[in-house]
mmCIF file of all heavy atoms in Angstrom:
data_model
loop_
_atom_site.group_PDB
_atom_site.id
_atom_site.type_symbol
_atom_site.label_atom_id
_atom_site.label_comp_id
_atom_site.label_asym_id
_atom_site.label_seq_id
_atom_site.Cartn_x
_atom_site.Cartn_y
_atom_site.Cartn_z
ATOM 1 N N PHE E 1 -3.465 -1.101 0.739
ATOM 2 C CA PHE E 1 -2.213 -1.688 0.254
ATOM 3 C C PHE E 1 -2.340 -2.115 -1.205
ATOM 4 O O PHE E 1 -1.464 -1.833 -2.038
ATOM 5 C CB PHE E 1 -1.842 -2.880 1.132
ATOM 6 C CG PHE E 1 -0.884 -3.856 0.504
ATOM 7 C CD1 PHE E 1 0.478 -3.599 0.492
ATOM 8 C CD2 PHE E 1 -1.352 -5.028 -0.076
ATOM 9 C CE1 PHE E 1 1.365 -4.496 -0.095
ATOM 10 C CE2 PHE E 1 -0.474 -5.930 -0.661
ATOM 11 C CZ PHE E 1 0.883 -5.661 -0.674
ATOM 12 N N MET E 2 -3.445 -2.805 -1.523
ATOM 13 C CA MET E 2 -3.641 -3.260 -2.904
ATOM 14 C C MET E 2 -3.755 -2.080 -3.858
ATOM 15 O O MET E 2 -3.278 -2.132 -5.002
ATOM 16 C CB MET E 2 -4.898 -4.135 -2.973
ATOM 17 C CG MET E 2 -4.731 -5.483 -2.309
ATOM 18 S SD MET E 2 -3.702 -6.607 -3.260
ATOM 19 C CE MET E 2 -4.871 -7.104 -4.506
ATOM 20 N N THR E 3 -4.377 -0.994 -3.394
ATOM 21 C CA THR E 3 -4.470 0.207 -4.224
ATOM 22 C C THR E 3 -3.085 0.761 -4.523
ATOM 23 O O THR E 3 -2.772 1.109 -5.676
ATOM 24 C CB THR E 3 -5.340 1.255 -3.505
ATOM 25 O OG1 THR E 3 -6.666 0.729 -3.351
ATOM 26 C CG2 THR E 3 -5.392 2.560 -4.276
ATOM 27 N N LEU E 4 -2.240 0.842 -3.503
ATOM 28 C CA LEU E 4 -0.876 1.344 -3.706
ATOM 29 C C LEU E 4 -0.068 0.407 -4.594
ATOM 30 O O LEU E 4 0.688 0.860 -5.471
ATOM 31 C CB LEU E 4 -0.195 1.526 -2.355
ATOM 32 C CG LEU E 4 -0.798 2.609 -1.449
ATOM 33 C CD1 LEU E 4 -0.137 2.575 -0.077
ATOM 34 C CD2 LEU E 4 -0.653 3.986 -2.077
ATOM 35 N N MET E 5 -0.213 -0.891 -4.390
ATOM 36 C CA MET E 5 0.482 -1.849 -5.250
ATOM 37 C C MET E 5 0.022 -1.703 -6.699
ATOM 38 O O MET E 5 0.832 -1.753 -7.637
ATOM 39 C CB MET E 5 0.232 -3.279 -4.770
ATOM 40 C CG MET E 5 1.224 -3.778 -3.742
ATOM 41 S SD MET E 5 2.909 -3.827 -4.406
ATOM 42 C CE MET E 5 3.549 -5.299 -3.667
ATOM 43 N N ALA E 6 -1.281 -1.512 -6.877
ATOM 44 C CA ALA E 6 -1.828 -1.438 -8.236
ATOM 45 C C ALA E 6 -1.273 -0.240 -8.997
ATOM 46 O O ALA E 6 -0.886 -0.359 -10.167
ATOM 47 C CB ALA E 6 -3.350 -1.377 -8.179
ATOM 48 N N ILE E 7 -1.223 0.940 -8.350
ATOM 49 C CA ILE E 7 -0.750 2.118 -9.089
ATOM 50 C C ILE E 7 0.766 2.109 -9.237
ATOM 51 O O ILE E 7 1.303 2.808 -10.107
ATOM 52 C CB ILE E 7 -1.227 3.430 -8.431
ATOM 53 C CG1 ILE E 7 -0.619 3.625 -7.040
ATOM 54 C CG2 ILE E 7 -2.750 3.471 -8.383
ATOM 55 C CD1 ILE E 7 -0.927 4.984 -6.424
ATOM 56 N N GLY E 8 1.449 1.286 -8.436
ATOM 57 C CA GLY E 8 2.896 1.173 -8.576
ATOM 58 C C GLY E 8 3.329 0.087 -9.534
ATOM 59 O O GLY E 8 4.145 0.323 -10.436
ATOM 60 N N ARG E 9 2.763 -1.112 -9.397
ATOM 61 C CA ARG E 9 3.183 -2.245 -10.236
ATOM 62 C C ARG E 9 2.489 -2.265 -11.596
ATOM 63 O O ARG E 9 3.028 -2.817 -12.560
ATOM 64 C CB ARG E 9 2.918 -3.578 -9.518
ATOM 65 C CG ARG E 9 3.773 -3.806 -8.286
ATOM 66 C CD ARG E 9 3.742 -5.247 -7.816
ATOM 67 N NE ARG E 9 4.650 -6.087 -8.585
ATOM 68 C CZ ARG E 9 4.920 -7.362 -8.289
ATOM 69 N NH1 ARG E 9 4.319 -7.931 -7.258
ATOM 70 N NH2 ARG E 9 5.753 -8.056 -9.027
ATOM 71 N N THR E 10 1.288 -1.702 -11.661
ATOM 72 C CA THR E 10 0.553 -1.664 -12.939
ATOM 73 C C THR E 10 0.086 -0.228 -13.184
ATOM 74 O O THR E 10 -1.119 0.059 -13.166
ATOM 75 C CB THR E 10 -0.641 -2.639 -12.917
ATOM 76 O OG1 THR E 10 -1.528 -2.280 -11.848
ATOM 77 C CG2 THR E 10 -0.172 -4.067 -12.709
ATOM 78 N N PRO E 11 1.000 0.691 -13.420
ATOM 79 C CA PRO E 11 0.661 2.115 -13.423
ATOM 80 C C PRO E 11 -0.250 2.553 -14.556
ATOM 81 O O PRO E 11 -0.818 3.648 -14.489
ATOM 82 C CB PRO E 11 2.024 2.795 -13.518
ATOM 83 C CG PRO E 11 2.923 1.786 -14.150
ATOM 84 C CD PRO E 11 2.445 0.461 -13.648
ATOM 85 N N ASP E 12 -0.413 1.738 -15.603
ATOM 86 C CA ASP E 12 -1.274 2.122 -16.720
ATOM 87 C C ASP E 12 -2.683 1.552 -16.618
ATOM 88 O O ASP E 12 -3.514 1.788 -17.500
ATOM 89 C CB ASP E 12 -0.640 1.675 -18.042
ATOM 90 C CG ASP E 12 0.681 2.386 -18.307
ATOM 91 O OD1 ASP E 12 0.742 3.607 -18.077
ATOM 92 O OD2 ASP E 12 1.653 1.718 -18.708
ATOM 93 N N GLU E 13 -2.960 0.799 -15.537
ATOM 94 C CA GLU E 13 -4.269 0.153 -15.419
ATOM 95 C C GLU E 13 -5.328 1.066 -14.805
ATOM 96 O O GLU E 13 -6.506 0.967 -15.141
ATOM 97 C CB GLU E 13 -4.161 -1.132 -14.580
ATOM 98 C CG GLU E 13 -3.354 -2.241 -15.231
ATOM 99 C CD GLU E 13 -4.078 -2.905 -16.396
ATOM 100 O OE1 GLU E 13 -5.270 -2.618 -16.606
ATOM 101 O OE2 GLU E 13 -3.449 -3.716 -17.089
ATOM 102 N N PHE E 14 -4.933 1.943 -13.884
ATOM 103 C CA PHE E 14 -5.919 2.704 -13.119
ATOM 104 C C PHE E 14 -5.648 4.193 -13.253
ATOM 105 O O PHE E 14 -4.524 4.659 -13.057
ATOM 106 C CB PHE E 14 -5.906 2.272 -11.654
ATOM 107 C CG PHE E 14 -6.260 0.820 -11.481
ATOM 108 C CD1 PHE E 14 -5.269 -0.143 -11.302
ATOM 109 C CD2 PHE E 14 -7.581 0.409 -11.536
ATOM 110 C CE1 PHE E 14 -5.589 -1.480 -11.160
ATOM 111 C CE2 PHE E 14 -7.913 -0.936 -11.405
ATOM 112 C CZ PHE E 14 -6.923 -1.885 -11.217
ATOM 113 N N ALA E 15 -6.711 4.946 -13.548
ATOM 114 C CA ALA E 15 -6.573 6.371 -13.854
ATOM 115 C C ALA E 15 -6.663 7.258 -12.625
ATOM 116 O O ALA E 15 -6.291 8.438 -12.692
ATOM 117 C CB ALA E 15 -7.652 6.778 -14.857
ATOM 118 N N ALA E 16 -7.151 6.734 -11.517
ATOM 119 C CA ALA E 16 -7.245 7.498 -10.272
ATOM 120 C C ALA E 16 -7.334 6.505 -9.131
ATOM 121 O O ALA E 16 -7.780 5.359 -9.313
ATOM 122 C CB ALA E 16 -8.462 8.422 -10.272
ATOM 123 N N ALA E 17 -6.927 6.951 -7.940
ATOM 124 C CA ALA E 17 -6.890 6.034 -6.808
ATOM 125 C C ALA E 17 -7.189 6.774 -5.514
ATOM 126 O O ALA E 17 -6.821 7.934 -5.344
ATOM 127 C CB ALA E 17 -5.512 5.359 -6.718
ATOM 128 N N VAL E 18 -7.862 6.066 -4.612
ATOM 129 C CA VAL E 18 -8.077 6.531 -3.244
ATOM 130 C C VAL E 18 -7.730 5.378 -2.322
ATOM 131 O O VAL E 18 -8.215 4.248 -2.519
ATOM 132 C CB VAL E 18 -9.530 6.970 -3.006
ATOM 133 C CG1 VAL E 18 -9.720 7.407 -1.548
ATOM 134 C CG2 VAL E 18 -9.925 8.098 -3.953
ATOM 135 N N GLN E 19 -6.874 5.663 -1.350
ATOM 136 C CA GLN E 19 -6.554 4.624 -0.377
ATOM 137 C C GLN E 19 -6.728 5.180 1.025
ATOM 138 O O GLN E 19 -6.297 6.284 1.340
ATOM 139 C CB GLN E 19 -5.139 4.072 -0.610
ATOM 140 C CG GLN E 19 -3.990 4.970 -0.237
ATOM 141 C CD GLN E 19 -3.460 4.700 1.175
ATOM 142 O OE1 GLN E 19 -3.835 3.726 1.820
ATOM 143 N NE2 GLN E 19 -2.568 5.563 1.631
ATOM 144 N N TRP E 20 -7.392 4.370 1.862
ATOM 145 C CA TRP E 20 -7.574 4.696 3.264
ATOM 146 C C TRP E 20 -6.689 3.764 4.096
ATOM 147 O O TRP E 20 -6.748 2.542 3.954
ATOM 148 C CB TRP E 20 -9.023 4.496 3.686
ATOM 149 C CG TRP E 20 -10.019 5.432 3.066
ATOM 150 C CD1 TRP E 20 -9.795 6.400 2.126
ATOM 151 C CD2 TRP E 20 -11.423 5.482 3.348
ATOM 152 N NE1 TRP E 20 -10.955 7.044 1.812
ATOM 153 C CE2 TRP E 20 -11.979 6.513 2.554
ATOM 154 C CE3 TRP E 20 -12.264 4.773 4.198
ATOM 155 C CZ2 TRP E 20 -13.344 6.826 2.573
ATOM 156 C CZ3 TRP E 20 -13.609 5.087 4.235
ATOM 157 C CH2 TRP E 20 -14.146 6.100 3.430
ATOM 158 N N PHE E 21 -5.867 4.332 4.918
ATOM 159 C CA PHE E 21 -5.003 3.616 5.884
ATOM 160 C C PHE E 21 -4.404 2.322 5.312
ATOM 161 O O PHE E 21 -4.540 1.248 5.875
ATOM 162 C CB PHE E 21 -5.729 3.362 7.211
ATOM 163 C CG PHE E 21 -7.194 2.974 7.112
ATOM 164 C CD1 PHE E 21 -7.595 1.660 6.953
ATOM 165 C CD2 PHE E 21 -8.174 3.947 7.201
ATOM 166 C CE1 PHE E 21 -8.925 1.311 6.887
ATOM 167 C CE2 PHE E 21 -9.527 3.611 7.135
ATOM 168 C CZ PHE E 21 -9.902 2.283 6.975
ATOM 169 N N GLY E 22 -3.722 2.472 4.173
ATOM 170 C CA GLY E 22 -3.070 1.339 3.532
ATOM 171 C C GLY E 22 -1.588 1.273 3.849
ATOM 172 O O GLY E 22 -0.988 2.217 4.363
ATOM 173 N N ILE E 23 -0.971 0.149 3.509
ATOM 174 C CA ILE E 23 0.432 -0.129 3.838
ATOM 175 C C ILE E 23 1.312 0.173 2.639
ATOM 176 O O ILE E 23 1.044 -0.305 1.529
ATOM 177 C CB ILE E 23 0.628 -1.602 4.251
ATOM 178 C CG1 ILE E 23 -0.267 -1.955 5.443
ATOM 179 C CG2 ILE E 23 2.088 -1.900 4.554
ATOM 180 C CD1 ILE E 23 -1.497 -2.742 5.080
ATOM 181 N N ILE E 24 2.361 0.951 2.843
ATOM 182 C CA ILE E 24 3.358 1.187 1.802
ATOM 183 C C ILE E 24 4.630 0.396 2.050
ATOM 184 O O ILE E 24 5.315 -0.002 1.116
ATOM 185 C CB ILE E 24 3.693 2.702 1.694
ATOM 186 C CG1 ILE E 24 4.742 2.944 0.595
ATOM 187 C CG2 ILE E 24 4.157 3.281 3.019
ATOM 188 C CD1 ILE E 24 5.074 4.405 0.369
ATOM 189 N N ASN E 25 4.953 0.108 3.309
ATOM 190 C CA ASN E 25 6.283 -0.399 3.650
ATOM 191 C C ASN E 25 6.139 -1.414 4.782
ATOM 192 O O ASN E 25 5.905 -1.049 5.938
ATOM 193 C CB ASN E 25 7.160 0.781 4.081
ATOM 194 C CG ASN E 25 8.589 0.390 4.379
ATOM 195 O OD1 ASN E 25 8.902 -0.778 4.574
ATOM 196 N ND2 ASN E 25 9.462 1.377 4.431
ATOM 197 N N TRP E 26 6.280 -2.696 4.456
ATOM 198 C CA TRP E 26 6.105 -3.729 5.471
ATOM 199 C C TRP E 26 7.197 -3.682 6.538
ATOM 200 O O TRP E 26 6.978 -4.144 7.666
ATOM 201 C CB TRP E 26 6.051 -5.108 4.829
ATOM 202 C CG TRP E 26 4.792 -5.367 4.055
ATOM 203 C CD1 TRP E 26 4.651 -5.453 2.700
ATOM 204 C CD2 TRP E 26 3.478 -5.570 4.593
ATOM 205 N NE1 TRP E 26 3.347 -5.692 2.357
ATOM 206 C CE2 TRP E 26 2.602 -5.770 3.496
ATOM 207 C CE3 TRP E 26 2.955 -5.600 5.888
ATOM 208 C CZ2 TRP E 26 1.241 -6.003 3.668
ATOM 209 C CZ3 TRP E 26 1.596 -5.829 6.059
ATOM 210 C CH2 TRP E 26 0.755 -6.029 4.961
ATOM 211 N N ASN E 27 8.343 -3.146 6.222
ATOM 212 C CA ASN E 27 9.410 -3.044 7.226
ATOM 213 C C ASN E 27 9.041 -2.042 8.316
ATOM 214 O O ASN E 27 9.160 -2.342 9.516
ATOM 215 C CB ASN E 27 10.727 -2.635 6.563
ATOM 216 C CG ASN E 27 11.373 -3.778 5.813
ATOM 217 O OD1 ASN E 27 11.944 -4.695 6.392
ATOM 218 N ND2 ASN E 27 11.273 -3.736 4.492
ATOM 219 N N THR E 28 8.604 -0.849 7.932
ATOM 220 C CA THR E 28 8.213 0.123 8.951
ATOM 221 C C THR E 28 6.898 -0.278 9.613
ATOM 222 O O THR E 28 6.668 0.053 10.784
ATOM 223 C CB THR E 28 8.108 1.535 8.354
ATOM 224 O OG1 THR E 28 7.257 1.507 7.187
ATOM 225 C CG2 THR E 28 9.478 2.063 7.971
ATOM 226 N N MET E 29 6.041 -0.995 8.912
ATOM 227 C CA MET E 29 4.843 -1.545 9.540
ATOM 228 C C MET E 29 5.235 -2.462 10.688
ATOM 229 O O MET E 29 4.692 -2.382 11.797
ATOM 230 C CB MET E 29 4.024 -2.334 8.520
ATOM 231 C CG MET E 29 2.955 -1.542 7.824
ATOM 232 S SD MET E 29 1.484 -1.244 8.853
ATOM 233 C CE MET E 29 0.732 -2.858 8.824
ATOM 234 N N TYR E 30 6.181 -3.356 10.415
ATOM 235 C CA TYR E 30 6.595 -4.320 11.439
ATOM 236 C C TYR E 30 7.213 -3.612 12.638
ATOM 237 O O TYR E 30 7.027 -4.026 13.782
ATOM 238 C CB TYR E 30 7.586 -5.317 10.841
ATOM 239 C CG TYR E 30 7.821 -6.534 11.705
ATOM 240 C CD1 TYR E 30 6.896 -7.569 11.714
ATOM 241 C CD2 TYR E 30 8.943 -6.645 12.517
ATOM 242 C CE1 TYR E 30 7.091 -8.688 12.509
ATOM 243 C CE2 TYR E 30 9.140 -7.755 13.311
ATOM 244 C CZ TYR E 30 8.215 -8.774 13.312
ATOM 245 O OH TYR E 30 8.402 -9.877 14.109
ATOM 246 N N ARG E 31 7.900 -2.540 12.375
ATOM 247 C CA ARG E 31 8.537 -1.784 13.461
ATOM 248 C C ARG E 31 7.509 -1.043 14.319
ATOM 249 O O ARG E 31 7.647 -0.986 15.547
ATOM 250 C CB ARG E 31 9.510 -0.770 12.852
ATOM 251 C CG ARG E 31 10.271 0.089 13.860
ATOM 252 C CD ARG E 31 10.966 1.233 13.138
ATOM 253 N NE ARG E 31 10.002 2.220 12.618
ATOM 254 C CZ ARG E 31 10.292 3.131 11.695
ATOM 255 N NH1 ARG E 31 11.504 3.182 11.159
ATOM 256 N NH2 ARG E 31 9.364 3.990 11.304
ATOM 257 N N ASP E 32 6.448 -0.503 13.706
ATOM 258 C CA ASP E 32 5.599 0.477 14.382
ATOM 259 C C ASP E 32 4.247 -0.047 14.847
ATOM 260 O O ASP E 32 3.617 0.570 15.702
ATOM 261 C CB ASP E 32 5.342 1.664 13.447
ATOM 262 C CG ASP E 32 6.620 2.408 13.084
ATOM 263 O OD1 ASP E 32 7.608 2.295 13.828
ATOM 264 O OD2 ASP E 32 6.615 3.090 12.036
ATOM 265 N N GLN E 33 3.753 -1.154 14.295
ATOM 266 C CA GLN E 33 2.371 -1.528 14.551
ATOM 267 C C GLN E 33 2.209 -2.258 15.887
ATOM 268 O O GLN E 33 3.174 -2.633 16.546
ATOM 269 C CB GLN E 33 1.846 -2.407 13.414
ATOM 270 C CG GLN E 33 2.490 -3.787 13.362
ATOM 271 C CD GLN E 33 2.061 -4.576 12.147
ATOM 272 O OE1 GLN E 33 0.912 -4.663 11.814
ATOM 273 N NE2 GLN E 33 3.004 -5.157 11.451
ATOM 274 N N ASP E 34 0.955 -2.463 16.267
ATOM 275 C CA ASP E 34 0.629 -3.199 17.478
ATOM 276 C C ASP E 34 1.179 -4.624 17.418
ATOM 277 O O ASP E 34 1.267 -5.232 16.350
ATOM 278 C CB ASP E 34 -0.895 -3.234 17.647
ATOM 279 C CG ASP E 34 -1.325 -3.961 18.903
ATOM 280 O OD1 ASP E 34 -1.181 -3.383 19.986
ATOM 281 O OD2 ASP E 34 -1.786 -5.118 18.792
#
């Protein structure tokens, strides 16, 4: 989640990114998760 936030909110800070099983959308998370 932090990786996705970083490349979205601060797009000039990081030149490459890898995210494993991160959250993009808390609304669909709330709908679908355990």
Side-chain angles (χ1 to χ4, degrees):
F1 160 81
M2 289 287 283
T3 297
L4 294 173
M5 271 298 218
I7 65 173
R9 293 194 81 173
T10 59
D12 296 317
E13 293 287 352
F14 299 99
V18 178
Q19 72 95 9
W20 293 3
F21 39 87
I23 303 103
I24 180 177
N25 183 343
W26 289 109
N27 284 285
T28 52
M29 267 284 286
Y30 194 79
R31 181 192 69 197
D32 297 338
Q33 69 186 313
D34 181 75

